[in-house]
Amino acid sequence: MNTTTDWNEVGRITGTVSLCMLLGHLLNLGSPVYLALFPILSVTKARDYSWRGLARMFRPVLIWATAAVITVELFANHPYVVWAISLVLFDQLHARATTPMARNALVLPVFNWIMMVVFAQTLPATMPDRLHDIVLSLLITMVVMKTFAWWFPPSPAPASAPAKHQRPDYAARLRFVVLLGGGLAFLMIVDMISATFCMVPVILAATQTERGAFMAVLRDRLLAQVGGCALAMVFMLLLAGQQSLLPLFALGQTLLVFLFARQISRSSGEDKALHGDALLGIALPIQLYMGVNDFGLSSALQRGWQLSVTLFVLAALAGLIFGKIQDESVHHHHS
């Protein structure tokens, strides 16, 4: 934990996240959740705020979202083919992720692919419309991030040691494909679209190569994601009946993001990553479920329950996945 606060970082995170989330409500997008997901994941991890750097960070998301749209349109009547193609894609993306940073970067493109495939099965909106929401949300996020980086300039990123490259072995690749393939198959078969977001901790856990790191990911997701749902429910209760008052909603949301941004700024290493994930955990239910006519309490409770079940199932499978415990030490392999 740092003793000083980087107020420029606090300003960048607070401004970017709160403005993007507010625009998500105002623009009536089909999927306003992207304007919470993209800015939070980006502004808490970005190191290069140049236009080229931002474009490089978002490029994989756009590429794989477009590829998912094309795939589900071509094989709309053959879901098994879509599922099989997804398995090949997951394996190839994972095999090419040879550093911890590259493995963390898998989350957005893989999750967007899964979201596109699942939504195509269950929702009436056309896939081009969903792609339109992604492209527009990416552009808004980039412009807002660039604006607040100009107002609150980031400090130069400290030089880090060259990352150690290590290709995942066949056992790690099999674990990744089985966990993601099983989760995707469940979502394609069962009409439970709200559970799609449970795939984020599954992706993070599936990239781990040791039991200790696997369990650490589950513990952190329980604290950040399920705890975030609980805090979101408190926020919803405080604004119950008043969420249609846009100035009040914007003020409450900005204050909430500010509190988390300050904690992120005062943290480092794994604590910083945990606080960033907690911000995502509380922002997603608010962005997904809180509207003018519904303050979203029951949906947030359902999300928390589904996340809890997912994490406990993964914990129960840890012994099957990794075999007997050989090393009790916990090594974090996620940021």
Side-chain angles (χ1 to χ4, degrees):
M1 182 73 72
N2 295 330
T3 55
T4 58
T5 302
D6 182 350
W7 290 108
N8 275 359
E9 184 178 27
V10 174
R12 278 197 314 279
I13 295 174
T14 304
T16 300
V17 175
S18 56
L19 180 56
C20 284
M21 288 180 67
L22 188 60
L23 288 172
H25 285 283
L26 292 174
L27 295 176
N28 293 319
L29 298 178
S31 298
V33 68
Y34 293 125
L35 279 174
L37 185 68
F38 292 157
I40 294 174
L41 285 177
S42 304
V43 80
T44 55
K45 299 182 187 301
R47 296 189 176 189
D48 183 356
Y49 281 85
S50 67
W51 287 113
R52 180 176 293 181
L54 294 175
R56 185 167 57 244
M57 180 167 57
F58 287 128
R59 188 169 56 219
V61 177
L62 188 56
I63 289 173
W64 294 114
T66 305
V69 167
I70 294 171
T71 302
V72 296
E73 291 289 347
L74 286 176
F75 302 102
N77 297 320
H78 304 282
Y80 178 76
V81 175
V82 174
W83 180 74
I85 292 172
S86 300
L87 297 192
V88 175
L89 171 77
F90 296 158
D91 178 57
Q92 291 305 305
L93 283 176
H94 185 223
R96 286 167 170 74
T98 58
T99 65
M101 186 177 292
R103 286 192 289 274
N104 288 328
L106 287 175
V107 174
L108 265 181
V110 170
F111 177 64
N112 265 286
W113 178 283
I114 291 171
M115 226 176 4
M116 283 291 185
V117 170
V118 174
F119 285 2
Q121 300 282 316
T122 54
L123 293 182
T126 65
M127 287 298 103
D129 286 343
R130 298 213 166 274
L131 192 58
H132 167 267
D133 285 351
I134 288 179
V135 173
L136 186 58
S137 298
L138 286 175
L139 289 175
I140 290 172
T141 301
M142 287 175 65
V143 171
V144 173
M145 281 183 71
K146 187 69 176 176
T147 301
F148 280 98
W150 181 57
W151 286 340
F152 303 98
S155 304
S160 55
K164 182 181 178 182
H165 290 265
Q166 182 179 2
R167 281 181 67 89
D169 59 24
Y170 286 108
R173 289 170 64 177
L174 180 62
R175 282 196 298 269
F176 190 79
V177 169
V178 168
L179 285 173
L180 266 63
L184 179 58
F186 175 82
L187 291 170
M188 291 176 73
I189 294 169
V190 179
D191 186 11
M192 195 184 291
I193 194 167
S194 59
T196 307
F197 287 88
C198 296
M199 290 302 292
V200 172
V202 176
I203 297 167
L204 283 167
T207 60
Q208 307 309 315
T209 57
E210 298 175 10
R211 184 188 178 116
F214 183 87
M215 296 302 293
V217 167
L218 301 187
R219 182 199 65 212
D220 288 353
R221 286 336 101 184
L222 183 67
L223 288 172
Q225 297 290 313
V226 180
C229 275
L231 290 174
M233 290 168 65
V234 173
F235 180 80
M236 291 169 178
L237 284 171
L238 290 174
L239 285 184
Q242 306 298 322
Q243 70 272 13
S244 59
L245 298 176
L246 198 61
L248 180 63
F249 176 79
L251 179 64
Q253 179 180 270
T254 303
L255 179 61
L256 190 66
V257 175
F258 170 80
L259 294 174
F260 275 92
R262 186 170 178 272
Q263 284 300 109
I264 292 169
S265 172
R266 293 173 64 86
S267 306
S268 60
E270 291 160 6
D271 284 341
K272 194 181 190 78
L274 183 61
H275 287 130
D277 200 44
L279 175 58
L280 186 65
I282 191 173
L284 286 183
I286 293 171
Q287 194 75 351
L288 276 166
Y289 309 127
M290 199 168 185
V292 174
N293 300 315
D294 182 13
F295 66 98
L297 195 65
S298 61
S299 297
L301 180 63
Q302 181 186 40
R303 172 183 164 82
W305 166 250
Q306 289 170 342
L307 280 165
S308 300
V309 170
T310 301
L311 293 172
F312 283 119
V313 167
L314 288 172
L317 290 174
L320 181 63
I321 294 169
F322 292 98
K324 292 183 179 179
I325 301 176
Q326 296 175 349
D327 182 7
E328 289 288 351
S329 63
V330 172
H331 303 287
H332 283 275
H333 288 267
H334 62 290
S335 65

